[in-house]
Amino acid sequence: MQRPLIIALDFPSSIEVKEFLRHFDQQQLFVKVGMELFYQEGPSIITYLKEQGHSIFLDLKLHDIPNTVRSAMKGLAKLGVDIINVHAAGGTAMMQAAVEGLEEGTPAGKKRPLCIAVTQLTSTSEKVMKEEIWIEKKLADTVLHYASLAKKSGLDGVVCSSLEVPTIVEILGKDFITVTPGIRLATDAIGDQERVVSPETARNLGSTAIVVGRSITKANQPIQVYRQFISDWEGVTI
Ligand code: C5P
């Protein structure tokens, strides 16, 4: 996978998506469709985005019993997205079932979507992990443990904070992909994210891909902000 900047299309419906994409003219993007949009529009939004030539990360974060996840993935594989994900907290049997479902559902001759696991949400702090989720370990250790389980289960990578990437790469290797949200320019509002870094830092830390949402989608001039992110991420001047 090239090192993409993935724009999180966190919009309530396809109307806002189409308005937003108009800023980008015919440019082909890597976009993320999450639960807000998918639960409203269903598979038709994926068909639309694919017709426009965009690459797609379908961020539904599946987390259920293995049999249900296998069946759900079998159906989702037919949509032909590029990346899809589960919560690593679902365990190894569930993660293996996810990959099996994707393999079963991918049409003959097509590539199965990459399957990655959410380790800990980038909105979760160590304090919340300890006091609310009752995980007594260090956040960084938990992330690494979940990432190791994901690799053992046959997944292609993880969603994590860029801050965790160097350890994951060191232990699990460079081919295990790291998709990292929680990205902000120095001038941006942090919002509900806890662990944020700049695109340049994400690059230096070795992220495979960055996910950027509100900083671009809520900007007055999305294309300008997008270009700024791209230049920071790719290390080129615009
Ligand atoms: O607006 P912002 O840049 O914070 O958007 C980040 C996107 O990445 C959101 O769509 C969010 O659901 C997603 N995400 C995340 N942390 C994870 C996994 C996904 O922020 N661990």
Side-chain angles (χ1 to χ4, degrees):
M1 188 164 72
Q2 294 299 324
R3 300 178 72 205
L5 182 159
I6 304 174
I7 303 179
L9 296 178
D10 293 327
F11 292 111
S13 79
S14 61
I15 298 170
E16 292 82 2
V17 169
K18 287 174 187 171
E19 259 167 38
F20 172 74
L21 291 176
R22 223 171 279 140
H23 291 285
F24 292 85
D25 210 5
Q26 299 297 314
Q27 192 173 345
Q28 295 189 344
L29 304 167
F30 207 127
V31 296
K32 181 172 87 67
V33 174
M35 45 182 99
E36 179 183 2
L37 184 59
F38 194 78
Y39 289 165
Q40 285 306 308
E41 299 290 346
S44 66
I45 188 69
I46 304 297
T47 310
Y48 170 77
L49 292 167
K50 275 179 64 95
E51 278 167 7
Q52 305 301 307
H54 303 304
S55 300
I56 303 167
F57 169 17
L58 183 55
D59 177 22
L60 297 180
K61 302 188 181 73
L62 276 69
H63 188 175
D64 208 318
I65 59 170
N67 190 54
T68 301
V69 170
R70 177 186 287 103
S71 313
M73 284 298 194
K74 192 172 169 183
L76 290 169
K78 298 185 176 57
L79 300 178
V81 299
D82 300 274
I83 310 179
I84 200 157
N85 63 355
V86 295
H87 265 288
T92 52
M94 188 207 75
M95 288 193 273
Q96 282 163 11
V99 176
E100 285 162 15
L102 287 173
E103 278 164 0
E104 286 165 26
T106 302
K110 300 278 182 195
K111 201 168 156 282
R112 89 154 160 79
L114 293 173
C115 187
I116 61 178
V118 176
T119 52
Q120 282 294 339
L121 295 172
T122 38
S123 56
T124 304
S125 64
E126 191 158 294
K127 186 170 182 284
V128 166
M129 222 183 66
K130 288 206 164 116
E131 293 176 6
E132 298 182 18
I133 318 177
W134 278 18
I135 295 176
E136 286 296 333
K137 307 277 184 194
K138 289 206 163 311
L139 190 128
D141 293 344
T142 310
V143 168
L144 184 59
H145 176 60
Y146 282 11
S148 306
L149 292 181
K151 186 163 187 196
K152 198 173 125 202
S153 308
L155 269 68
D156 304 290
V158 283
V159 186
C160 62
S161 160
S162 299
L163 300 168
E164 290 136 10
V165 170
T167 319
I168 291 175
V169 170
E170 189 192 331
I171 311 278
L172 302 176
K174 266 206 324 275
D175 293 340
F176 194 62
I177 68 173
T178 51
V179 176
T180 62
I183 307 293
R184 296 285 184 274
L185 295 175
T187 48
D188 287 341
I190 288 178
D192 55 356
Q193 298 282 18
E194 282 286 340
R195 293 171 284 142
V196 300
V197 304
S198 69
E200 191 186 7
T201 305
R203 168 165 52 90
N204 293 334
L205 291 169
S207 297
T208 314
I210 54 172
V211 177
V212 185
R214 289 160 289 185
S215 300
I216 296 175
T217 56
K218 298 226 183 292
N220 289 329
Q221 295 176 307
I223 186 83
Q224 258 89 325
V225 180
Y226 173 74
R227 287 197 187 122
Q228 182 65 56
F229 269 93
I230 288 280
S231 87
D232 276 26
W233 170 233
E234 294 179 351
V236 292
T237 31
I238 43 174

